Each structure stands twice: as structure tokens, then as C-alpha cells.
Amino acid sequence: MDDIFYMKMALDLAAKGIGYTAPNPMVGAVVVKEGKVVGKGWHQYPGGPHAEVYALDDAGPHAKGADIYVTLEPCNHHGKTPPCTDKIIGSGIRRVVMAMEDPNPDVAGGGAQRLEQAGIEVVSGVCEIQARRLIEFFTKYVTTKRPFVILKLAATLDGRIAARSGDSKWVTSEASRRYVHELRHAADAIMVGANTIKTDDPQLTTRLEGKEGKNPKRIILDTNLSIPEDSKVLHNDSPSDTIIITGSSAPSGKRKQIEKTGVQIFEAKTIDHLIDLNDLMAQLGQMRITSLLIEGGSRVAASALKAGIVDKICFFYAPKILGGDDGVPMLRGPGPELMKQSIAVKDITVQWFDDDVMIEGYVIHSSGSA
């Protein structure tokens, strides 16, 4: 029971790194001696000290003979920082309790093995489910070199994201919208289609209460480079990049004008005059984008599901009914002919934001994996 208690403390510390550690995982560590916490730490930024280093430095001489609880297997390789295993061994720690093995196939198991060879007891699997959920972005990226993709949609109870006029302000409550900004803060990049830019003219930035949020990279799918040159997203002072993905038919003159603003324009493969999203995910992975939040609109959402790139859904439903069939649907375009061909979702959880309900779950791909 104590192991679970202290590991949950380490997981809470790890969560402090949400939005700040990519492409590294979030990790927390707690040093405990004789039932007392003597050191705490978490990984705070890429290239910086790991959680174990902060926790052991915090513990100082009290680390000798103590236990350390860490949410991820300590590293045993030289990267931008020395191996954490050396730090642990040198500190005199007697027991290492870790939530999970490192998912990186190149290093998995090496840290635990090194510690055991040094005579340190190693326990693994404590709060493993929670730990895996916390670093799902990192795990997807390190095993596939592609970003973890979240599809967010906000709709009325009858499945409309906007009225027939295109008006969508606001479908959901302020509480729901605040949570969406938390999702933006956590993600490396946010992606929308050209129609969203034309209709809503969003800034695609992060606005959090009480703290400064991290702005994700802004990715706009615009096959024909049709968005207006005065769109807000092309003229904000955010330090994060704005990237427009186009096809080969994009007009070169307009491209040069937009690029003068500092916006990056990349050409991608197309399928039936639409951006090939599978090919794009490979490109984003090469850019070290570990996580992507898709926010709209209905055609982009449908295309993402059809392409099989979505890992998790966050669907918000507001207690409103438009009551017609002429509003904008959540997903637009042809669907399957048979119900058995529908996309299955597992591990469903439900959260309330005022009177809105958010359904979160993991997409089961045709291979059977989530």
C-alpha cells in the first residue's frame, strides 16, 4: 500500500511537466526513508536534469539506504545528461520502485538490469496503468516515430458542431473551452483545416488561467492555399511556428507573400485533391512533433478517422438541440455502408464540465491495436 501511495505522489510530480518536456517523457521521482519523504523532483524541460537527479539532490545524504519511487525506468545511457542509474547507485539507494519499463525499444530494461547488477532491489509495475497513460504521447512517438493524435470535437446533443449559417459560438460552456486550452498546452501541435480558418478566424493559441500556457505549433491543411492573407493565425506574435500544408496546385505568388510573414509552407502528397494524412504524420514525426491535437472541422475530422491516424477522441456534448438536419455535422463525407464497419472505441471515460459531458476513449484500429 505504501508503494502505491508514494508512486501516486511521483505521478503527481511528473504531471507538472505536462506541455514542457517533449520530446522527452514526463517523469516524477520521490525518495523515501523510514516512512518519510526526503526528496522530490520531476523532469522539467528537454535536455535538463531527469527527475531522479532532482529528487536525489533534494534528499542529499538522506538518500543512503532509502527507497526511490520513479514513474519510468531510470535511464542507463548517455544522452544530454549522464545515466540516472549511476546517480542512483552512487547515492546509496537500497531499493528502486518504478511504475513501468522504458517503452523505448532501444533502451528498455537496461536501467533495471544495471541497478540489479549493482545489488539494488528493483520493483516494477506499481501504478503502471496510470504511468502509461501519462506518457502515451512519448510511447507512441518513440515506438513509431509518428505523433500521438487526439481528435477533439464539440457538438450539440444531435451531433452538430455549428448551425446551418456556420455559427458555432459557442456550442459548449466556458468550462469545456478552458479544458480544451489545457489540451492545447499539452500538445506539440494543433491542426485545423482551411475552412476553420475562413469561418472562425482563430488564433490557435493557448490561454490558461493562473499560468502561462505553451502555444503549440499551428498546422493548417490548405491544399490550394486558399486562406485569406489577413487571417489572424498568420499575424500573431506567438513564438511557436505556423505551418501551412499545401498541395502542388498552391499558387506560387500567394505562397511567397505569406512566407514573408514568417509562416512556413510545406508541400505534401495528396489523395483525391486532399492532403495525404498518413504521409503527413510521417513528416510531422521527422519534425519531432510527438503529439497532435486535431480541432476541426468536420471534413478534417472525418478524413483523420478514415485515414486511421487518430489515437484518442475527446468529444464534448452540450445540452443543446438544433433540431434540424441542415446544421454542420460532426463528421462530413461518406461513411461505411454497414454498422459493423464503424470505428470502435475502447477504455471510455466520461468527464463533466458544467452541464457539458466529454467522452474520451481510444480508437481501435483495424489491426486491433489502440
PDB file of all heavy atoms in Angstrom, residues 6 30-39 59-69 91-94:
ATOM      1  N   TYR A   6       3.246   6.309  -2.480  1.00  0.00           N
ATOM      2  CA  TYR A   6       4.396   7.123  -2.897  1.00  0.00           C
ATOM      3  C   TYR A   6       4.502   7.218  -4.423  1.00  0.00           C
ATOM      4  O   TYR A   6       4.949   8.242  -4.956  1.00  0.00           O
ATOM      5  CB  TYR A   6       5.687   6.567  -2.301  1.00  0.00           C
ATOM      6  CG  TYR A   6       5.747   6.711  -0.798  1.00  0.00           C
ATOM      7  CD1 TYR A   6       5.892   5.595   0.023  1.00  0.00           C
ATOM      8  CD2 TYR A   6       5.646   7.966  -0.197  1.00  0.00           C
ATOM      9  CE1 TYR A   6       5.933   5.724   1.407  1.00  0.00           C
ATOM     10  CE2 TYR A   6       5.682   8.100   1.189  1.00  0.00           C
ATOM     11  CZ  TYR A   6       5.823   6.984   1.985  1.00  0.00           C
ATOM     12  OH  TYR A   6       5.852   7.117   3.348  1.00  0.00           O
ATOM     13  N   VAL A  30      10.317  10.284  -6.142  1.00  0.00           N
ATOM     14  CA  VAL A  30      10.200  10.575  -4.716  1.00  0.00           C
ATOM     15  C   VAL A  30      11.164   9.659  -3.962  1.00  0.00           C
ATOM     16  O   VAL A  30      11.193   8.453  -4.192  1.00  0.00           O
ATOM     17  CB  VAL A  30       8.758  10.329  -4.214  1.00  0.00           C
ATOM     18  CG1 VAL A  30       8.678  10.526  -2.698  1.00  0.00           C
ATOM     19  CG2 VAL A  30       7.781  11.255  -4.911  1.00  0.00           C
ATOM     20  N   VAL A  31      11.964  10.232  -3.068  1.00  0.00           N
ATOM     21  CA  VAL A  31      12.884   9.457  -2.223  1.00  0.00           C
ATOM     22  C   VAL A  31      12.277   9.355  -0.826  1.00  0.00           C
ATOM     23  O   VAL A  31      11.890  10.370  -0.229  1.00  0.00           O
ATOM     24  CB  VAL A  31      14.272  10.132  -2.156  1.00  0.00           C
ATOM     25  CG1 VAL A  31      15.213   9.300  -1.278  1.00  0.00           C
ATOM     26  CG2 VAL A  31      14.858  10.303  -3.552  1.00  0.00           C
ATOM     27  N   VAL A  32      12.187   8.124  -0.322  1.00  0.00           N
ATOM     28  CA  VAL A  32      11.535   7.863   0.969  1.00  0.00           C
ATOM     29  C   VAL A  32      12.491   7.083   1.870  1.00  0.00           C
ATOM     30  O   VAL A  32      13.066   6.073   1.457  1.00  0.00           O
ATOM     31  CB  VAL A  32      10.230   7.065   0.781  1.00  0.00           C
ATOM     32  CG1 VAL A  32       9.582   6.776   2.131  1.00  0.00           C
ATOM     33  CG2 VAL A  32       9.266   7.816  -0.130  1.00  0.00           C
ATOM     34  N   LYS A  33      12.642   7.568   3.105  1.00  0.00           N
ATOM     35  CA  LYS A  33      13.489   6.861   4.078  1.00  0.00           C
ATOM     36  C   LYS A  33      12.748   6.758   5.404  1.00  0.00           C
ATOM     37  O   LYS A  33      12.295   7.769   5.969  1.00  0.00           O
ATOM     38  CB  LYS A  33      14.803   7.613   4.268  1.00  0.00           C
ATOM     39  CG  LYS A  33      15.817   6.844   5.116  1.00  0.00           C
ATOM     40  CD  LYS A  33      17.175   7.518   5.092  1.00  0.00           C
ATOM     41  CE  LYS A  33      18.221   6.676   5.804  1.00  0.00           C
ATOM     42  NZ  LYS A  33      19.556   7.321   5.744  1.00  0.00           N
ATOM     43  N   GLU A  34      12.614   5.515   5.848  1.00  0.00           N
ATOM     44  CA  GLU A  34      11.944   5.241   7.123  1.00  0.00           C
ATOM     45  C   GLU A  34      10.567   5.896   7.195  1.00  0.00           C
ATOM     46  O   GLU A  34      10.187   6.521   8.202  1.00  0.00           O
ATOM     47  CB  GLU A  34      12.828   5.705   8.290  1.00  0.00           C
ATOM     48  CG  GLU A  34      14.154   4.965   8.345  1.00  0.00           C
ATOM     49  CD  GLU A  34      15.082   5.491   9.421  1.00  0.00           C
ATOM     50  OE1 GLU A  34      14.722   6.507  10.064  1.00  0.00           O
ATOM     51  OE2 GLU A  34      16.154   4.900   9.612  1.00  0.00           O
ATOM     52  N   GLY A  35       9.822   5.793   6.083  1.00  0.00           N
ATOM     53  CA  GLY A  35       8.463   6.298   6.044  1.00  0.00           C
ATOM     54  C   GLY A  35       8.340   7.797   5.886  1.00  0.00           C
ATOM     55  O   GLY A  35       7.228   8.339   5.987  1.00  0.00           O
ATOM     56  N   LYS A  36       9.418   8.474   5.589  1.00  0.00           N
ATOM     57  CA  LYS A  36       9.392   9.923   5.436  1.00  0.00           C
ATOM     58  C   LYS A  36       9.938  10.323   4.066  1.00  0.00           C
ATOM     59  O   LYS A  36      10.960   9.806   3.633  1.00  0.00           O
ATOM     60  CB  LYS A  36      10.233  10.579   6.541  1.00  0.00           C
ATOM     61  CG  LYS A  36      10.250  12.094   6.484  1.00  0.00           C
ATOM     62  CD  LYS A  36      11.112  12.672   7.599  1.00  0.00           C
ATOM     63  CE  LYS A  36      11.167  14.195   7.519  1.00  0.00           C
ATOM     64  NZ  LYS A  36      12.015  14.781   8.590  1.00  0.00           N
ATOM     65  N   VAL A  37       9.236  11.230   3.401  1.00  0.00           N
ATOM     66  CA  VAL A  37       9.708  11.729   2.118  1.00  0.00           C
ATOM     67  C   VAL A  37      10.873  12.686   2.358  1.00  0.00           C
ATOM     68  O   VAL A  37      10.734  13.696   3.063  1.00  0.00           O
ATOM     69  CB  VAL A  37       8.576  12.471   1.352  1.00  0.00           C
ATOM     70  CG1 VAL A  37       9.123  13.106   0.076  1.00  0.00           C
ATOM     71  CG2 VAL A  37       7.443  11.510   1.018  1.00  0.00           C
ATOM     72  N   VAL A  38      12.037  12.356   1.769  1.00  0.00           N
ATOM     73  CA  VAL A  38      13.234  13.180   1.972  1.00  0.00           C
ATOM     74  C   VAL A  38      13.704  13.865   0.695  1.00  0.00           C
ATOM     75  O   VAL A  38      14.623  14.689   0.728  1.00  0.00           O
ATOM     76  CB  VAL A  38      14.380  12.333   2.567  1.00  0.00           C
ATOM     77  CG1 VAL A  38      14.013  11.850   3.956  1.00  0.00           C
ATOM     78  CG2 VAL A  38      14.722  11.157   1.657  1.00  0.00           C
ATOM     79  N   GLY A  39      13.074  13.521  -0.440  1.00  0.00           N
ATOM     80  CA  GLY A  39      13.464  14.153  -1.695  1.00  0.00           C
ATOM     81  C   GLY A  39      12.383  14.013  -2.745  1.00  0.00           C
ATOM     82  O   GLY A  39      11.698  12.983  -2.823  1.00  0.00           O
ATOM     83  N   ALA A  59      17.286  15.063  -1.660  1.00  0.00           N
ATOM     84  CA  ALA A  59      17.458  14.191  -0.492  1.00  0.00           C
ATOM     85  C   ALA A  59      18.840  14.332   0.123  1.00  0.00           C
ATOM     86  O   ALA A  59      19.007  14.196   1.355  1.00  0.00           O
ATOM     87  CB  ALA A  59      17.211  12.744  -0.885  1.00  0.00           C
ATOM     88  N   GLY A  60      19.846  14.588  -0.696  1.00  0.00           N
ATOM     89  CA  GLY A  60      21.215  14.719  -0.190  1.00  0.00           C
ATOM     90  C   GLY A  60      21.683  13.449   0.501  1.00  0.00           C
ATOM     91  O   GLY A  60      21.424  12.338   0.023  1.00  0.00           O
ATOM     92  N   PRO A  61      22.325  13.554   1.660  1.00  0.00           N
ATOM     93  CA  PRO A  61      22.844  12.365   2.363  1.00  0.00           C
ATOM     94  C   PRO A  61      21.752  11.425   2.870  1.00  0.00           C
ATOM     95  O   PRO A  61      22.017  10.259   3.162  1.00  0.00           O
ATOM     96  CB  PRO A  61      23.642  12.969   3.533  1.00  0.00           C
ATOM     97  CG  PRO A  61      23.066  14.336   3.746  1.00  0.00           C
ATOM     98  CD  PRO A  61      22.667  14.802   2.380  1.00  0.00           C
ATOM     99  N   HIS A  62      20.514  11.924   2.944  1.00  0.00           N
ATOM    100  CA  HIS A  62      19.406  11.064   3.397  1.00  0.00           C
ATOM    101  C   HIS A  62      19.056   9.979   2.383  1.00  0.00           C
ATOM    102  O   HIS A  62      18.301   9.059   2.699  1.00  0.00           O
ATOM    103  CB  HIS A  62      18.162  11.912   3.680  1.00  0.00           C
ATOM    104  CG  HIS A  62      18.357  12.940   4.736  1.00  0.00           C
ATOM    105  ND1 HIS A  62      18.581  12.622   6.059  1.00  0.00           N
ATOM    106  CD2 HIS A  62      18.394  14.305   4.676  1.00  0.00           C
ATOM    107  CE1 HIS A  62      18.723  13.725   6.768  1.00  0.00           C
ATOM    108  NE2 HIS A  62      18.619  14.765   5.954  1.00  0.00           N
ATOM    109  N   ALA A  63      19.609  10.076   1.164  1.00  0.00           N
ATOM    110  CA  ALA A  63      19.311   9.075   0.132  1.00  0.00           C
ATOM    111  C   ALA A  63      19.926   7.718   0.460  1.00  0.00           C
ATOM    112  O   ALA A  63      19.420   6.679   0.025  1.00  0.00           O
ATOM    113  CB  ALA A  63      19.812   9.566  -1.228  1.00  0.00           C
ATOM    114  N   LYS A  64      20.995   7.718   1.249  1.00  0.00           N
ATOM    115  CA  LYS A  64      21.662   6.452   1.560  1.00  0.00           C
ATOM    116  C   LYS A  64      20.731   5.544   2.363  1.00  0.00           C
ATOM    117  O   LYS A  64      20.202   5.928   3.409  1.00  0.00           O
ATOM    118  CB  LYS A  64      22.950   6.706   2.345  1.00  0.00           C
ATOM    119  CG  LYS A  64      23.779   5.444   2.543  1.00  0.00           C
ATOM    120  CD  LYS A  64      25.126   5.755   3.171  1.00  0.00           C
ATOM    121  CE  LYS A  64      25.960   4.481   3.306  1.00  0.00           C
ATOM    122  NZ  LYS A  64      27.310   4.755   3.896  1.00  0.00           N
ATOM    123  N   GLY A  65      20.497   4.351   1.822  1.00  0.00           N
ATOM    124  CA  GLY A  65      19.621   3.390   2.477  1.00  0.00           C
ATOM    125  C   GLY A  65      18.145   3.634   2.256  1.00  0.00           C
ATOM    126  O   GLY A  65      17.304   2.950   2.835  1.00  0.00           O
ATOM    127  N   ALA A  66      17.811   4.597   1.396  1.00  0.00           N
ATOM    128  CA  ALA A  66      16.413   4.951   1.150  1.00  0.00           C
ATOM    129  C   ALA A  66      15.862   4.227  -0.072  1.00  0.00           C
ATOM    130  O   ALA A  66      16.578   3.538  -0.803  1.00  0.00           O
ATOM    131  CB  ALA A  66      16.289   6.469   0.957  1.00  0.00           C
ATOM    132  N   ASP A  67      14.562   4.389  -0.282  1.00  0.00           N
ATOM    133  CA  ASP A  67      13.885   3.892  -1.482  1.00  0.00           C
ATOM    134  C   ASP A  67      13.616   5.077  -2.408  1.00  0.00           C
ATOM    135  O   ASP A  67      13.332   6.182  -1.936  1.00  0.00           O
ATOM    136  CB  ASP A  67      12.543   3.240  -1.135  1.00  0.00           C
ATOM    137  CG  ASP A  67      12.687   2.028  -0.227  1.00  0.00           C
ATOM    138  OD1 ASP A  67      13.823   1.533  -0.065  1.00  0.00           O
ATOM    139  OD2 ASP A  67      11.666   1.597   0.331  1.00  0.00           O
ATOM    140  N   ILE A  68      13.674   4.840  -3.701  1.00  0.00           N
ATOM    141  CA  ILE A  68      13.281   5.877  -4.653  1.00  0.00           C
ATOM    142  C   ILE A  68      12.140   5.344  -5.511  1.00  0.00           C
ATOM    143  O   ILE A  68      12.198   4.213  -6.006  1.00  0.00           O
ATOM    144  CB  ILE A  68      14.459   6.359  -5.532  1.00  0.00           C
ATOM    145  CG1 ILE A  68      14.019   7.556  -6.381  1.00  0.00           C
ATOM    146  CG2 ILE A  68      15.044   5.247  -6.384  1.00  0.00           C
ATOM    147  CD1 ILE A  68      15.154   8.276  -7.076  1.00  0.00           C
ATOM    148  N   TYR A  69      11.104   6.138  -5.622  1.00  0.00           N
ATOM    149  CA  TYR A  69       9.945   5.807  -6.446  1.00  0.00           C
ATOM    150  C   TYR A  69      10.020   6.674  -7.700  1.00  0.00           C
ATOM    151  O   TYR A  69      10.083   7.909  -7.615  1.00  0.00           O
ATOM    152  CB  TYR A  69       8.649   6.091  -5.686  1.00  0.00           C
ATOM    153  CG  TYR A  69       8.455   5.188  -4.495  1.00  0.00           C
ATOM    154  CD1 TYR A  69       9.096   5.457  -3.291  1.00  0.00           C
ATOM    155  CD2 TYR A  69       7.654   4.060  -4.579  1.00  0.00           C
ATOM    156  CE1 TYR A  69       8.947   4.628  -2.196  1.00  0.00           C
ATOM    157  CE2 TYR A  69       7.493   3.214  -3.496  1.00  0.00           C
ATOM    158  CZ  TYR A  69       8.145   3.502  -2.312  1.00  0.00           C
ATOM    159  OH  TYR A  69       7.991   2.647  -1.221  1.00  0.00           O
ATOM    160  N   SER A  91      24.403   7.166  -4.909  1.00  0.00           N
ATOM    161  CA  SER A  91      23.735   7.799  -3.769  1.00  0.00           C
ATOM    162  C   SER A  91      23.512   6.845  -2.601  1.00  0.00           C
ATOM    163  O   SER A  91      23.176   7.276  -1.501  1.00  0.00           O
ATOM    164  CB  SER A  91      22.389   8.373  -4.198  1.00  0.00           C
ATOM    165  OG  SER A  91      21.471   7.316  -4.485  1.00  0.00           O
ATOM    166  N   GLY A  92      23.637   5.549  -2.866  1.00  0.00           N
ATOM    167  CA  GLY A  92      23.410   4.569  -1.807  1.00  0.00           C
ATOM    168  C   GLY A  92      21.969   4.125  -1.665  1.00  0.00           C
ATOM    169  O   GLY A  92      21.594   3.513  -0.655  1.00  0.00           O
ATOM    170  N   ILE A  93      21.136   4.392  -2.644  1.00  0.00           N
ATOM    171  CA  ILE A  93      19.743   3.923  -2.635  1.00  0.00           C
ATOM    172  C   ILE A  93      19.726   2.407  -2.513  1.00  0.00           C
ATOM    173  O   ILE A  93      20.496   1.707  -3.196  1.00  0.00           O
ATOM    174  CB  ILE A  93      19.021   4.374  -3.924  1.00  0.00           C
ATOM    175  CG1 ILE A  93      18.703   5.863  -3.890  1.00  0.00           C
ATOM    176  CG2 ILE A  93      17.758   3.552  -4.173  1.00  0.00           C
ATOM    177  CD1 ILE A  93      17.572   6.257  -2.957  1.00  0.00           C
ATOM    178  N   ARG A  94      18.810   1.887  -1.687  1.00  0.00           N
ATOM    179  CA  ARG A  94      18.752   0.435  -1.490  1.00  0.00           C
ATOM    180  C   ARG A  94      17.692  -0.241  -2.348  1.00  0.00           C
ATOM    181  O   ARG A  94      17.786  -1.432  -2.642  1.00  0.00           O
ATOM    182  CB  ARG A  94      18.503   0.110  -0.015  1.00  0.00           C
ATOM    183  CG  ARG A  94      17.076   0.400   0.446  1.00  0.00           C
ATOM    184  CD  ARG A  94      16.803  -0.107   1.854  1.00  0.00           C
ATOM    185  NE  ARG A  94      15.384   0.059   2.195  1.00  0.00           N
ATOM    186  CZ  ARG A  94      14.464  -0.881   2.002  1.00  0.00           C
ATOM    187  NH1 ARG A  94      14.796  -2.038   1.463  1.00  0.00           N
ATOM    188  NH2 ARG A  94      13.205  -0.650   2.342  1.00  0.00           N
TER     189      ARG A  94
END
